[in-house]
Amino acid sequence: MVNVAILGFGTVGSGVAEVLCGHESSIARKADGLIRLKYILDVRDFPDSPFKDCFVKDFTVIENDPEVDIVVETIGGAGVALDFTRRALEAGKSVVTSNKELVAAHGYELTRLAQEKGVCYLFEASVGGGIPIIRPLSQCLAANEILEIYGILNGTTNYILTRMIRAGLSFEAALAEAQEKGYAERDPSADVDGHDACRKICILAAIAFGRHIYPEQVPTEGIRGISLADVDYAESAGKKIKLLGRAIRLDDGRVCAYVAPHLVDQSDPLAGVEDVFNAITVRGDAIGDVMFYGRGAGKLPTASAVVADVMDVARNLGHRKALLWDEGGQDAAGGVAEFKSRWYVRAAATADELKHALGGKLPAGRGTGDGEAACLTDEAMTRAELDRRLAGLEPLSVIRVLD
Ligand code: NDP
Ligand code: HSE
């Protein structure tokens, strides 16, 4: 029998307990033995929980119990979660997590520590919620040189954009719904300002390109600046606005990674990804493009990925499963300033002024005639070149176009 302790009984942790215990016999069959939930650590009391006999308040109980083989960390953040993860690994226990903030900031150190201790540190749920992406990228696509990864990596912002467009909800109302459904981070600005997607693209880039990329190295922009006028202009140009994370391998070996809203063509499969769903495209030199799609957040979808990692560890107990990459550094990431795109610009200008500055197409939209106009450039250019051409005009919105 394999014993598990869950740290943090919130949205994901409670889902893990539910799936682990609810599917006990089929999990035992597939994992070659019983997996028992022995402890749950949380700061709160849950007297009515069916798991009430498992609760403890002191991490040392788990740390010092030699029967505990696997610790599931679903507290979140890089504070106490880092301390508990280090201590669990030091104590020779494997750790499974959904905590992308921790993996993006400390994944290099924690995977090395796990290797040193002969245990596992697995984090399938840290990117894409329930979508299998870490294991396919590190195993099924291992024969490829990965050229690029991009996609919709945050369920909350995709949910907000979908609700704003489809139901005409305000940004605040759509965010409140996402929080209610358990999709948002504890501090939802991590979703809205793009930091969550940034952490996820860092993790994917480390696995795909072999070096740790730190969130501070990834220029990040969220969806706060997107207005319904932008959505309207985009639609009249046959496009949709999506928040994307991108990581591209440059010829000089650096990784060009950034997070920003993009105008995506209606014919692109990403345009049809709505609600809490995420989609991640991986471009390999042998396979070409492969896309992963599914629920990017939520209690049970995320628990599905966490429990699968737990089963993987249980099945291979004593045989370490290593997911390793090299140390990061200044030279690991860069090139965003030189990266060329076509651009969408909405500005407090006449259509003639914009056309004169940028050329390109002028989509119709609700702003037309209200002292503003919008334009889609024909030419790909750097942001610096775009700003130079816009000199003297007042841009209200500037968004990259995905080509
Ligand atoms: P929650 O806030 O719902 O759950 C965290 C739980 O940990 C809460 O019950 C919290 O208690 C508890 N906790 C806080 N501090 C401690 C402590 N010192 N010791 C023990 N327990 C503590 O978060 P989620 O379940 O939503 O997220 C957990 C992790 O999973 C995060 O890293 C998140 O980014 C990630 N994730 C979340 C997804 C989702 O859809 N929600 C999807 C994929 C990943 P209290 O509330 O009282 O502070
Ligand atoms: N807050 C995250 C999201 C949770 O909305 O995508 C899943 O990582």
Side-chain angles (χ1 to χ4, degrees):
M1 183 163 58
V2 169
N3 287 292
V4 173
I6 297 174
L7 315 181
F9 194 66
T11 303
V12 181
S14 63
V16 171
E18 213 174 295
V19 172
L20 205 52
C21 300
H23 300 172
E24 191 180 67
S25 56
S26 75
I27 286 175
R29 181 168 42 81
K30 294 175 200 165
D32 300 334
L34 202 61
I35 300 180
R36 178 172 69 137
L37 177 58
K38 184 162 187 187
Y39 298 114
I40 301 174
L41 177 88
D42 202 285
V43 283
R44 281 180 290 153
D45 294 315
F46 295 85
D48 301 326
S49 165
F51 309 107
K52 61 180 183 294
D53 296 339
C54 295
F55 279 90
V56 293
K57 287 242 164 11
D58 181 359
F59 178 67
T60 57
V61 173
I62 294 166
E63 186 180 23
N64 294 330
D65 184 340
E67 279 190 356
V68 174
D69 308 288
I70 305 171
V71 170
V72 171
E73 186 275 296
T74 49
I75 293 176
V80 72
L82 174 60
D83 178 42
F84 291 168
T85 300
R86 279 187 183 136
R87 284 164 58 186
L89 294 171
E90 289 282 2
K93 302 175 191 312
S94 288
V95 175
V96 169
T97 191
S98 55
N99 185 344
K100 53 268 161 142
E101 183 175 352
L102 194 60
V103 181
H106 299 280
Y108 173 73
E109 170 206 332
L110 294 171
T111 50
R112 296 282 150 171
L113 180 56
Q115 183 190 40
E116 199 184 296
K117 295 292 169 186
V119 292
C120 307
Y121 183 55
L122 298 185
F123 39 86
E124 180 62 65
S126 67
V127 181
I131 306 174
I133 177 66
I134 304 283
R135 198 170 278 101
L137 182 60
S138 58
Q139 294 179 15
C140 314
L141 299 176
N144 288 261
E145 287 293 326
I146 304 299
L147 308 172
E148 177 171 354
I149 302 180
Y150 66 95
I152 297 168
L153 299 173
N154 183 266
T156 299
T157 44
N158 206 44
Y159 184 85
I160 292 172
L161 289 171
T162 305
R163 295 292 285 157
M164 283 173 73
I165 295 165
R166 292 240 176 250
L169 251 59
S170 70
F171 175 89
E172 290 74 20
L175 171 59
E177 277 191 3
Q179 287 178 296
E180 171 78 13
K181 288 172 181 287
Y183 301 155
E185 294 301 301
R186 178 160 288 241
D187 173 3
S189 62
D191 299 292
V192 171
D193 294 325
H195 304 300
D196 180 73
C198 168
R199 291 164 186 152
K200 291 167 176 166
I201 201 69
C202 287
I203 297 170
L204 294 177
I207 294 168
F209 304 118
R211 288 188 70 184
H212 198 104
I213 305 293
Y214 289 94
E216 302 73 43
Q217 296 177 294
V218 177
T220 295
E221 191 188 328
I223 61 162
R224 274 188 214 275
I226 306 292
S227 71
L228 284 172
D230 297 318
V231 169
D232 200 40
Y233 276 120
E235 278 209 346
S236 68
K239 309 226 178 248
K240 282 213 175 147
I241 301 178
K242 295 288 180 191
L243 181 68
L244 302 185
R246 279 182 101 172
I248 302 153
R249 195 184 67 169
L250 301 179
D251 290 341
D252 62 13
R254 290 180 303 166
V255 176
C256 171
Y258 68 91
V259 174
H262 285 70
L263 260 65
V264 175
D265 203 78
Q266 302 271 18
S267 62
D268 189 307
L270 285 178
V273 177
E274 298 208 319
D275 206 86
V276 73
F277 285 82
N278 285 188
I280 304 155
T281 297
V282 179
R283 184 165 298 154
D285 66 345
I287 193 165
D289 283 3
V290 55
M291 193 182 209
F292 300 86
Y293 170 80
R295 288 183 191 278
K299 174 174 165 164
L300 294 179
T302 310
S304 155
V306 174
V307 174
D309 271 351
V310 168
M311 291 167 68
D312 201 6
V313 177
R315 221 182 287 115
N316 297 290
L317 215 58
H319 306 282
R320 185 180 51 77
K321 293 203 74 180
L323 199 54
L324 293 171
W325 53 83
D326 292 338
E327 209 165 7
Q330 288 293 335
D331 59 334
V336 179
E338 299 95 63
F339 187 71
K340 292 185 179 175
S341 302
R342 291 196 305 127
W343 297 88
Y344 157 88
V345 177
R346 181 167 61 91
T350 65
D352 280 350
E353 284 170 326
L354 257 192
K355 181 102 182 145
H356 179 71
L358 299 176
K361 292 178 200 62
L362 298 175
R366 71 172 63 184
T368 312
D370 290 343
E372 64 170 53
C375 178
L376 243 69
T377 68
D378 280 337
E379 218 181 305
M381 61 190 92
T382 64
R383 177 63 198 253
E385 171 63 8
L386 181 79
D387 289 344
R388 196 184 60 70
R389 293 209 199 173
L390 283 172
L393 294 180
E394 196 189 323
L396 303 169
S397 198
V398 176
I399 306 176
R400 285 186 193 269
V401 178
L402 181 76
D403 283 311

